[in-house]
Amino acid sequence: MALAADAVPREGGQTPAAGSAAMSAPAMGTSRPAVADGALGRKRGPGALAAAYLVLYNVVMTAGWLVIAVGLVRAYLARGSYHGLYYSIEKPLKFFQTGALLEILHCAVGIVPSSVVLTGFQVMSRVFLTWAVTHSVREVQSEDSVLLFVVAWTITEIIRYSFYTFSLLNHLPYLIKWARYTFFIVLYPMGVTGELLTIYAALPYVQKTGLYSITLPNKYNFSFDYHTFLILSMASYIPCRGRRSWATWRTTAKWNERAATLHPNAVGSGPPRITYAC
């Protein structure tokens, strides 16, 4: 399901498979070319045009999430309350979160080196929460849990797209790199909590209205219970014996990236060992 901070960097709209000399310098976890340069006798990927497009994409997305952040602050100052702030940024949130679908395309056409499957899962999970839960169940839009994950997403995406923009330009400030691999410690649990509480709040309304559910009999002889689907989605956050949940797997991966990026010479850095039991 949707998760607040990317524990495995989502590169779908950010870094080129290979680029011009000015834009293809590796940055940890993001700017590594998908293929080596011609000096190693391998075919180069997309060049300066792809890199320029990705810079533009990331600049636009950074600006979009900044608009959302400013909208939240202005609405809070005007109302003097954080309740119902979702309505002040509903349209830009839907637009820019849906715009992340392009990241799947970037992976599919090969201008970035990330997995289409992993990128698709991460992007679609957020799009799902944006449209199939928060948009479709209007009763939850005033819940404080929505603001919780919206704030987490907003800060995360401003940092993430800024990180990719500066990495592509080969001028990555340490502060942005540090924020990219540090803020998730707070933003990730904050976002996950908001997402789970929002889905939980939607359950009674989904069950009452039968939203998106398909009952038998019908000509396709197929049934689907959206209420049950949401419960299973929530369960996917929970680690069980012998299995990491998607959430804990991504958290562990992010800690490993943080250690490798910010403390490359440290031994044994990272989070405590996590055991999983139902």
Side-chain angles (χ1 to χ4, degrees):
M1 279 307 306
L3 299 170
D6 293 308
V8 177
R10 182 151 38 91
E11 320 302 349
Q14 292 74 34
T15 56
S20 64
M23 293 187 175
S24 61
M28 181 61 195
T30 59
S31 295
R32 175 177 54 82
V35 294
D37 59 26
L40 296 179
R42 300 178 187 175
K43 183 179 179 181
R44 292 179 62 87
L49 183 61
Y53 161 73
L54 290 175
V55 168
L56 177 61
Y57 173 82
N58 285 289
V59 167
V60 170
M61 294 299 282
T62 302
W65 285 96
L66 281 170
V67 167
I68 294 171
V70 171
L72 286 171
V73 172
R74 290 182 61 183
Y76 174 76
L77 293 176
R79 300 181 183 185
S81 172
Y82 61 85
H83 296 293
L85 292 184
Y86 169 80
Y87 302 105
S88 64
I89 49 86
E90 179 179 4
K91 291 183 179 179
L93 175 68
K94 291 176 180 176
F95 181 84
F96 287 103
Q97 186 57 71
T98 305
L101 290 171
L102 286 173
E103 298 180 20
I104 304 174
L105 179 62
H106 298 163
C107 295
V109 301
I111 62 174
V112 292
S114 296
S115 165
V116 176
V117 175
L118 290 178
T119 300
F121 187 91
Q122 294 178 51
V123 172
M124 291 304 299
S125 63
R126 283 194 176 185
V127 172
F128 172 83
L129 190 65
T130 300
W131 289 99
V133 179
T134 310
H135 169 78
S136 300
V137 186
R138 302 192 67 84
E139 290 83 356
V140 305
Q141 294 176 2
S142 59
E143 295 284 337
D144 293 342
S145 59
V146 173
L147 182 62
L148 201 62
F149 76 73
V150 167
V151 170
W153 286 7
T154 300
I155 299 173
T156 296
E157 297 299 61
I158 291 172
I159 296 171
R160 186 170 72 91
Y161 287 116
S162 298
F163 176 92
Y164 294 137
T165 300
F166 286 108
S167 294
L168 285 162
L169 297 173
N170 199 25
H171 292 288
L172 178 62
Y174 179 80
L175 180 61
I176 293 180
K177 180 168 73 172
W178 178 85
R180 166 71 171 150
Y181 293 105
T182 302
F183 279 27
F184 80 93
I185 298 171
V186 174
L187 296 176
Y188 189 72
M190 175 180 170
V192 168
T193 300
E195 293 160 14
L196 284 171
L197 290 176
T198 299
I199 296 173
Y200 180 77
L203 290 176
Y205 303 102
V206 170
Q207 186 175 39
K208 180 179 179 180
T209 62
L211 179 69
Y212 297 143
S213 296
I214 302 174
T215 59
L216 292 171
N218 57 68
K219 64 178 181 179
Y220 300 107
N221 196 31
F222 170 80
S223 64
F224 173 74
D225 185 58
Y226 187 53
H227 179 264
T228 301
F229 176 79
L230 289 180
I231 294 175
L232 293 175
S233 298
M234 295 177 66
S236 70
Y237 285 80
I238 304 172
C240 293
R241 189 180 305 278
R243 176 186 68 84
R244 294 183 184 185
S245 71
W246 174 249
T248 52
W249 178 78
R250 291 178 69 192
T251 303
T252 303
K254 191 66 175 179
W255 272 107
N256 292 337
E257 280 193 6
R258 184 179 192 273
T261 303
L262 301 182
H263 308 288
N265 298 321
V267 178
S269 58
R273 180 179 177 84
I274 301 174
T275 56
Y276 303 92
C278 292

